[in-house]
């Protein structure tokens, strides 16, 4: 019986680019998986400048455009690191039918009790934050 392979979409955190997945990409490819490592706006090789990004929507536009371009029947495994967790959360909200599973790798996970900015403030001001590796089915 052939092993099932998946399409992984890798979303980096702030101050990174698709390059940060350089060790993971060949490992997953060697197992037969498809990989798409995206550069968010103004990151990696994306040509947008930081001063051109005025919102979170601008920042994650490459992810949202990629998800929109997927065929309706294709399901991907979203992987978000750090601030990439916010992006994959929004992608799950907009494209639930295109997502097989989401993996948060020491990533921000939004909640319904406090706005996303609360997480950033807690990290910046030194509150004790514990990050988890979580898989959502």
């Amino acid at each position: 019986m052939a092993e099932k392979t998946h399409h992984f979409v890798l979303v980096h955190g702030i101050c990174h680019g698709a390059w940060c997945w350089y060790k993971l990409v060949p490992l997953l490819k060697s197992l037969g998986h498809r990989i798409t490592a995206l550069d968010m706006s103004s990151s990696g090789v994306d040509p947008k400048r930081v001063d051109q990004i005025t919102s979170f929507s601008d920042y994650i536009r490459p992810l949202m455009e990629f998800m929109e371009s997927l065929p309706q029947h294709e399901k991907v495994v979203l992987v978000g690191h750090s601030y990439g967790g916010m992006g994959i959360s929004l992608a799950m909200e907009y494209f639930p039918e295109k997502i097989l599973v989401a993996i948060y790798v020491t990533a921000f996970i939004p909640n319904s009790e406090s706005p996303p900015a609360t997480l950033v403030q807690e990290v910046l001001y030194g509150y004790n934050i514990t990050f988890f590796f979580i898989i959502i089915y």
Side-chain angles (χ1 to χ4, degrees):
M1 182 165 92
E3 290 189 32
K4 190 169 186 172
T5 60
H6 300 289
H7 183 178
F8 285 81
V9 178
L10 309 176
V11 181
H12 62 81
I14 288 182
C15 299
H16 284 114
W19 54 265
C20 75
W21 302 104
Y22 76 98
K23 289 185 179 182
L24 183 60
V25 169
L27 290 171
L28 291 172
K29 282 185 176 181
S30 72
L31 296 171
H33 299 290
R34 287 181 46 213
I35 309 299
T36 300
L38 298 169
D39 281 314
M40 296 299 102
S41 294
S42 185
S43 302
V45 299
D46 185 87
K48 210 170 212 184
R49 294 187 333 257
V50 170
D51 62 357
Q52 294 175 303
I53 299 172
T54 59
S55 67
F56 183 66
S57 295
D58 285 346
Y59 177 71
I60 63 162
R61 183 163 287 128
L63 171 60
M64 301 306 270
E65 288 174 352
F66 176 80
M67 293 300 297
E68 190 171 351
S69 74
L70 287 171
Q72 278 302 116
H73 69 278
E74 185 171 356
K75 290 186 178 281
V76 298
V77 176
L78 285 178
V79 181
H81 170 252
S82 188
Y83 200 61
M86 299 297 283
I88 68 171
S89 295
L90 195 58
M92 287 189 295
E93 186 174 328
Y94 280 89
F95 305 100
E97 72 284 353
K98 294 182 178 183
I99 298 165
L100 178 64
V101 67
I103 302 171
Y104 291 79
V105 181
T106 60
F108 288 114
I109 301 172
N111 65 59
S112 60
E113 295 177 8
S114 56
T118 302
L119 287 170
V120 176
Q121 286 177 335
E122 288 174 349
V123 170
L124 290 177
Y125 295 109
Y127 291 94
N128 185 15
I129 300 293
T130 304
F131 294 97
F132 297 96
F133 176 81
I134 296 178
I135 300 176
I136 297 180
Y137 292 98

